[in-house]
């Protein structure tokens, strides 16, 4: 429920506060005073598109704030908290929710939800749970087949909701199976070629049987073999210098002699003993290096001239794989993943058989679910037609007869039913679709009657009607006001109206007041009671707020409304 809406610099409204509250609130005012801006401001709070043209001339920005009373838990509070905002607990399972929207003259827009900045899309998400807005554009929307089907589905309640959910579940599964099957069959030749190419590539890799890093190791081996003579000379020279079998002194001999001299002298000076120990350690290390060089030379001696050719041949084989796959690592990855892909491709025939069976089975389930949905809609259509027809009798269409036809249509995600609302405005008239045969006034009353009936099975927290009384007057307008008051018994109702007959039934009457300073027109909003309300009603009736006759008629209407 909306508790209050505050507007600043929106259209012609310089500043206004609208105390709404429960029940039926009527909003009236002179032409051009800005009544529509109230609905525009509410639309901004519900996430509708922001138009910088709505900012009041000369102002930098327009600001709209709203206070809602919402359940302390549920989808509304969950969505608010998901966006980073929160609500203010009031007790008794209720909470206050603050929504805001700022629109700059340059067209920038900012939304606040529960005290935190949030995308305008969050406001749109909340709108589905908070308000249903009906304006003249919505009357036009009622002419669409989709809107008429949605109205029937709302009225049908759980029976249609469950049938529609069951249908959509199997319909989506059938579409997925059909799409997968079509993809497999239309791409079967391409997938077969892919399988053959994979099979050949895998066979080539398996024939080579590479190991990770083998190409790097072979490159190092080839470089060594290509320089074997230079390596042999270097190793032999170093080995001779370290350990010479001839009489020429080598490093080991010289180190050993130096160590012995230090050991003899250390008897007179302890400082030389440490140097002798170091030379002993160096001698051992030189012996080790000499032995390793001897082994290295022995390995080189075992290297035959044919080994380099074998290494180069292996490198050439690996190079073919690298050219084909980019690198040896990618070739090995291809061997791993390609094998799994080949198993999948080789399973195409079996998959086609399985998908064909699934598609055919699901086709039968779709047919059954669609029939069940049609049956639920057909049963609800008869009840909706009777209930709306009864409502139309109370809306000054006593002889009108509404029919809701459910006929076969193309299969979609919403079923395969074409729902058409038809109206016979008087006896003897053939029922005609409201999309073509209903006048503006009749369409207004049909829409209101549908909402009153649906509210009994699918209640909405708040209804906003923007001149739902367009095209009617007199007794019909009185009945519209009466029905809005009835709807307000279970939901909050806000109606922007130009008819006193409608406003008379409101328990809260607000007027948009226009004042001029000669160049700029500014409007504000005031709650009306007592004589002020009677004067506004008289103005609506005759254009003269101080006419005795109009005031008398206004008071009669107010008394009628108070008894409703």
């Amino acid at each position: 429920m909306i508790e209050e809406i505050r507007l600043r610099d929106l259209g012609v409204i310089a500043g206004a506060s609208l105390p709404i509250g429960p029940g039926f609130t009527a909003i009236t005012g002179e032409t051009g005073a800005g009544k529509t801006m109230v609905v525009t401001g509410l639309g901004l709070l519900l996430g509708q598109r922001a138009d910088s043209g709505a900012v009041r001339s000369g102002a930098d920005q327009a600001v709209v704030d709203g206070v809602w009373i919402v359940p302390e838990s549920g989808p509304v509070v969950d969505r608010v908290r998901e966006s980073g905002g929160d609500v203010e607990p009031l007790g008794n399972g209720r909470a206050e929710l603050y929504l805001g929207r700022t629109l700059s003259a340059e067209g920038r827009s900012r939304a606040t939800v529960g005290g935190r900045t949030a995308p305008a899309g969050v406001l749109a998400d909340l709108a589905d749970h908070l308000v249903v807005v009906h304006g003249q554009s919505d009357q036009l929307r009622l002419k669409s087949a989709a809107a008429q089907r949605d109205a029937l589905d709302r009225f049908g309640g759980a029976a249609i909701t469950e049938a529609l959910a069951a249908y959509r579940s199997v319909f989506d599964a059938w579409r997925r199976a059909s799409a997968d099957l079509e993809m497999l069959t239309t791409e079967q030749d391409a997938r077969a070629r892919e399988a053959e190419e994979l099979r050949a590539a895998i066979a080539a890799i398996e024939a080579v049987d590479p190991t990770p890093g083998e190409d790097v190791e072979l490159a190092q081996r080839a470089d060594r073999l290509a320089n074997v003579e230079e390596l042999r000379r270097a190793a032999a020279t170093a080995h001779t210098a370290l350990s010479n079998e001839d009489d020429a002194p080598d490093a080991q001999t010289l180190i050993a002699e130096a160590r012995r001299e230090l050991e003899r002298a250390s008897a007179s000076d302890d400082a030389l003993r440490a140097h002798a120990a170091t030379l002993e350690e160096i001698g051992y290390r030189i012996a080790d290096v000499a032995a390793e060089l001897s082994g290295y030379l022995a390995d080189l001696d075992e290297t035959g001239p044919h080994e380099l050719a074998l290494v180069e041949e292996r490198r050439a084989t690996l190079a073919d794989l690298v050219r084909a796959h980019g690198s040896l690592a990618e070739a090995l990855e291809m061997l791993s993943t390609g094998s799994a892909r080949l198993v999948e491709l080789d399973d195409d025939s079996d998959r086609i058989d399985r998908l064909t069976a699934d598609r055919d089975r699901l086709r039968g389930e779709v047919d059954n679910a669609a029939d069940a949905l049609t049956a639920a809609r057909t049963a609800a259509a008869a009840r909706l037609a009777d209930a709306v027809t009864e409502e139309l009798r109370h809306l000054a269409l006593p002889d009108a007869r509404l029919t809701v036809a459910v006929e076969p249509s193309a299969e979609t995600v919403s079923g395969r039913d074409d729902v058409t609302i038809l109206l016979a405005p008087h006896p003897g008239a053939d029922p005609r679709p409201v999309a073509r045969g209903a006048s503006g006034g009749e369409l207004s009353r049909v829409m209101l009657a549908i909402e009153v009936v649906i509210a009994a099975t699918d209640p909405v927290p708040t209804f906003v009607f923007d001149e739902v009384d367009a095209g009617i007057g007199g007794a019909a307008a009185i009945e519209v006001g009466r029905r809005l008051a009835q709807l307000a018994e279970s939901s909050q109702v806000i109606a922007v109206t130009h008819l006193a007959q409608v406003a008379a039934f409101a328990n809260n009457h607000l007027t948009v007041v226009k004042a001029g300073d000669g160049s700029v027109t500014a409007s504000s909003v005031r709650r009306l009671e007592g004589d002020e309300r009677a004067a506004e009603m008289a103005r609506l009736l005759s254009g003269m707020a101080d006419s005795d006759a109009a005031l008398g008629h206004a008071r009669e209407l107010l008394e009628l409304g108070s008894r409703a």
Side-chain angles (χ1 to χ4, degrees):
M1 178 186 75
I2 304 172
E3 188 173 38
E4 183 182 17
I5 297 176
R6 295 182 294 269
L7 312 173
R8 189 175 79 245
D9 293 329
L10 184 68
V12 296
I13 297 179
S17 176
L18 285 74
I20 309 294
F24 175 15
T25 296
I27 301 174
T28 62
E30 296 179 21
T31 301
K35 299 187 298 297
T36 302
M37 283 297 106
V38 174
V39 178
T40 299
L42 182 58
L44 289 172
L45 290 179
L46 299 176
Q48 293 179 8
R49 181 179 176 274
D51 181 1
S52 60
V55 179
R56 187 166 178 259
S57 178
D60 294 330
Q61 62 181 16
V63 180
V64 186
D65 295 305
V67 183
W68 262 259
I69 305 299
V70 299
E72 197 171 11
S73 62
V76 170
V77 174
D78 291 344
R79 187 68 183 94
V80 169
R81 287 174 176 158
E82 283 176 12
S83 69
D86 209 344
V87 298
E88 293 287 338
L90 297 175
N92 298 321
R94 302 185 310 153
E96 250 181 3
L97 168 62
Y98 292 85
L99 302 179
R101 190 85 176 270
T102 301
L103 173 62
S104 73
E106 291 79 20
R108 293 187 299 274
S109 171
R110 183 171 63 87
T112 55
V113 176
R116 296 291 296 274
T117 300
V122 177
L123 295 176
D125 293 343
L126 294 173
D128 294 337
H129 301 284
L130 296 174
V131 178
V132 169
V133 179
H134 283 293
Q136 294 188 40
S137 61
D138 296 279
Q139 295 177 26
L140 297 176
R141 189 173 61 85
L142 185 61
K143 292 184 176 183
S144 76
Q148 294 178 24
R149 185 189 63 230
D150 290 344
L152 175 61
D153 289 354
R154 284 177 57 205
F155 173 77
I160 292 181
T161 299
E162 293 170 3
L164 181 58
Y167 167 80
R168 284 178 172 168
S169 176
V170 295
F171 181 72
D172 288 344
W174 171 77
R175 284 200 302 186
R176 287 194 299 272
S178 299
D180 290 346
L181 181 59
E182 182 179 4
M183 183 272 292
L184 278 178
T185 52
T186 56
E187 298 181 5
Q188 195 168 15
D189 290 343
R191 291 168 70 88
R193 286 194 299 273
E194 182 185 356
E196 287 305 313
E197 290 170 0
L198 270 176
R199 198 171 282 111
I202 290 171
I205 297 171
E206 289 178 338
V208 174
D209 192 23
T211 59
E214 183 181 359
D215 53 342
V216 175
E217 293 175 4
L218 286 176
Q220 295 172 346
R221 179 69 174 166
D223 187 53
R224 181 186 182 193
L225 291 172
N227 296 281
V228 64
E229 291 304 323
E230 182 180 350
L231 296 174
R232 181 180 286 109
R233 283 195 300 272
T237 301
H239 182 267
T240 300
L242 296 177
S243 179
N244 190 0
E245 295 178 358
D246 298 332
D247 293 337
D250 56 23
Q252 288 189 75
T253 302
L254 294 173
I255 291 296
E257 183 179 347
R259 176 180 59 80
R260 286 193 297 271
E261 289 297 324
L262 290 176
E263 285 177 345
R264 281 195 296 269
S266 65
S268 303
D269 190 346
D270 291 342
L272 296 180
R273 187 175 293 112
H275 295 307
T278 300
L279 289 176
E280 182 178 19
E281 183 179 347
I282 291 173
Y284 293 145
R285 187 69 190 111
I286 289 175
D288 290 341
V289 172
E292 291 171 2
L293 286 173
S294 179
Y296 179 82
L297 287 168
D299 289 340
L300 289 181
D301 290 340
E302 293 178 1
T303 300
H306 63 284
E307 185 173 350
L308 179 59
L310 293 175
V311 169
E312 292 297 350
E313 182 180 354
R314 178 64 176 175
R315 291 184 69 195
T317 302
L318 293 179
D320 291 338
L321 289 183
V322 171
R323 280 192 295 272
H325 301 282
S327 69
L328 188 61
E330 288 176 298
L332 290 168
E333 177 67 15
M334 163 66 176
L335 183 62
S336 174
T337 60
S339 298
R341 174 63 173 165
L342 188 57
V343 170
E344 178 185 341
L345 293 172
D346 286 343
D347 190 42
D348 275 0
S349 178
D350 291 340
R351 288 184 67 203
I352 288 174
D353 292 341
R354 291 195 301 271
L355 283 171
T356 300
D358 288 345
R359 182 202 59 185
D360 295 344
R361 172 182 56 79
L362 289 167
R363 179 69 261 174
E365 293 182 13
V366 168
D367 291 340
N368 292 336
D371 291 343
L373 178 57
T374 299
R377 282 176 172 156
T378 301
R383 299 196 309 274
L384 177 61
D386 291 343
V388 174
T389 297
E390 182 62 27
E391 278 299 317
L392 292 175
R393 291 195 179 99
H394 297 292
L395 291 171
L397 288 171
D399 299 319
R401 176 68 190 172
L402 188 109
T403 305
V404 182
V406 180
E407 299 174 335
S409 181
E411 188 172 74
T412 69
V413 71
S414 297
R416 49 192 185 197
D417 303 317
D418 189 2
V419 176
T420 308
I421 297 177
L422 306 102
L423 179 69
H426 51 79
D430 292 331
R432 298 188 64 192
V434 293
R436 296 196 300 271
S439 66
E442 289 169 342
L443 196 59
S444 296
R445 282 173 280 178
V446 168
M447 185 181 71
L448 178 57
I450 289 174
E451 287 296 358
V452 170
V453 169
I454 291 177
T457 56
D458 183 28
V460 172
T462 299
F463 287 98
V464 178
F465 295 98
D466 184 13
E467 298 191 1
V468 69
D469 46 25
I472 61 175
I478 290 176
E479 293 307 325
V480 167
R482 198 188 306 275
R483 275 312 182 253
L484 288 174
Q486 177 183 325
L487 186 60
E489 293 175 2
S490 58
S491 301
Q492 182 186 47
V493 174
I494 302 169
V496 176
T497 180
H498 65 282
L499 294 180
Q501 294 93 329
V502 172
F505 289 88
N507 62 288
N508 183 33
H509 190 161
L510 306 177
T511 184
V512 182
V513 182
K514 180 170 66 174
D517 61 0
S519 60
V520 177
T521 298
S523 298
S524 61
V525 177
R526 190 169 72 248
R527 173 179 277 168
L528 299 178
E529 294 177 342
D531 291 342
E532 280 191 327
R533 187 178 185 194
E536 172 66 3
M537 297 281 286
R539 186 194 64 77
L540 292 172
L541 286 166
S542 66
M544 296 180 292
D546 55 356
S547 166
D548 290 339
L551 284 169
H553 189 188
R555 291 189 175 97
E556 288 179 11
L557 283 175
L558 289 170
E559 184 178 351
L560 177 65
S562 66
R563 295 198 303 266

